[in-house]
């Protein structure tokens, strides 16, 4: 069976290359590889997310959900020198690349690549950033989002990018129905950028 970018242990040969990207006005060179998401470039959805959403600067604990090779995690840590960034993925090769790219960006001490179960249960996030893996299917997507949104700190914010043709508008309505007010803050090239706001209550993690 062919690897998916959400395969836990890619079996394809680990063929590496570099890609160039500009994020929030800064130039990056990332190492990518076969078996990870968008290995040939910074994907369009992530580019739109990082263009439409403001760079954080106030310090905090952030989650990059579905980090891939780590472009969002690295950029968050670079932009916010006081930030601690958890870079979560199910793909172990992606986590290895994230660690390598964080080191190259000079932020390895503040970027924490981790499998889902390796994030300490008491960690709360001031912000969640994600180009979520829609192709895992709606039930799994909803389960994943509820799990992590429950770990937003009171008043925390989630930033998501989802393709319009992949259900962005219905996802926006569903998130609001789940008690997470969700606004569309941008729309470009078939993608919606959504901002989700946590309530002021501190929910227990799911």
């Amino acid at each position: 069976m062919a690897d998916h970018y959400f395969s836990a242990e890619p079996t394809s040969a680990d063929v590496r290359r570099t890609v160039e990207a500009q994020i929030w006005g800064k130039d990056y060179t990332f190492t990518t590889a076969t078996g990870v998401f968008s290995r040939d470039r910074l994907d369009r959805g992530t580019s739109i997310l990082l263009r439409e959403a403001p760079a954080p600067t106030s310090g905090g604990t952030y989650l990059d959900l579905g980090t891939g090779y780590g472009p969002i995690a690295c950029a968050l840590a670079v932009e916010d020198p006081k930030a601690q960034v958890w870079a979560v993925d199910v793909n172990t090769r992606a986590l290895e690349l994230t660690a390598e790219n964080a080191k190259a960006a000079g932020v390895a001490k503040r970027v924490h690549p981790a499998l889902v179960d390796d994030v300490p249960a008491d960690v709360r996030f001031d912000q969640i950033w994600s180009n979520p893996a829609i192709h895992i299917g709606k039930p799994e997507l909803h389960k994943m989002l509820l799990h992590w949104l429950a770990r937003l700190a009171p008043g925390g914010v989630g930033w998501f990018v989802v393709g319009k043709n992949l259900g962005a508008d219905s996802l926006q309505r569903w998130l609001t129905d789940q008690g997470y007010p969700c606004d569309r803050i941008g729309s470009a090239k078939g993608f919606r950028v959504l901002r989700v706001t946590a309530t002021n209550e501190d929910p227990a993690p799911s």
Side-chain angles (χ1 to χ4, degrees):
M1 182 178 296
D3 288 334
H4 297 286
Y5 63 85
F6 46 84
S7 297
E9 299 283 350
T11 58
S12 56
D14 188 349
V15 179
R16 302 203 171 193
R17 59 166 296 178
T18 59
V19 298
E20 309 290 330
Q22 186 175 84
I23 303 173
W24 291 315
K26 295 182 176 64
D27 294 322
Y28 292 87
T29 299
F30 296 112
T31 299
T32 72
T34 48
V36 300
F37 177 63
S38 193
R39 66 187 176 97
D40 296 320
R41 66 190 186 284
L42 184 64
D43 69 283
R44 181 175 293 178
T46 298
S47 297
I48 291 170
L49 172 64
L50 295 170
R51 186 183 71 201
E52 297 291 333
T57 57
S58 59
T61 301
Y62 307 139
L63 170 65
D64 175 12
L65 179 58
T67 190
Y69 55 85
I72 294 177
C74 292
L76 291 173
V78 168
E79 291 296 320
D80 192 342
K82 296 182 180 179
Q84 297 290 327
V85 184
W86 287 86
V88 170
D89 209 294
V90 300
N91 185 320
T92 55
R93 186 176 296 172
L95 296 178
E96 292 172 4
L97 290 165
T98 297
E100 182 174 335
N101 288 321
K103 183 177 180 180
V107 292
K109 292 184 178 180
R110 295 185 294 109
V111 172
H112 312 289
L115 296 170
V116 171
D117 293 338
D118 292 339
V119 180
D122 60 348
V123 173
R124 294 290 180 271
F125 301 103
D126 299 291
Q127 296 189 19
I128 295 174
W129 292 72
S130 186
N131 181 356
I134 299 296
H135 295 293
I136 63 177
K138 186 178 290 186
E140 286 301 312
L141 174 68
H142 287 178
K143 180 180 177 182
M144 177 182 71
L145 292 178
L146 288 177
H147 172 80
W148 293 108
L149 286 170
R151 296 183 64 167
L152 274 174
V157 176
W159 304 95
F160 300 93
V161 63
V162 181
K164 177 182 177 181
N165 292 336
L166 294 176
D169 295 339
S170 61
L171 181 64
Q172 180 182 354
R173 293 190 295 270
W174 178 82
L175 287 166
T176 299
D177 289 344
Q178 302 308 304
Y180 294 98
C182 183
D183 302 308
R184 186 198 308 170
I185 67 161
S187 183
K189 299 181 180 179
F191 288 90
R192 309 290 205 206
V193 177
L194 306 177
R195 178 181 59 199
V196 180
T197 306
T199 66
N200 289 325
E201 299 177 358
D202 192 0
S206 61

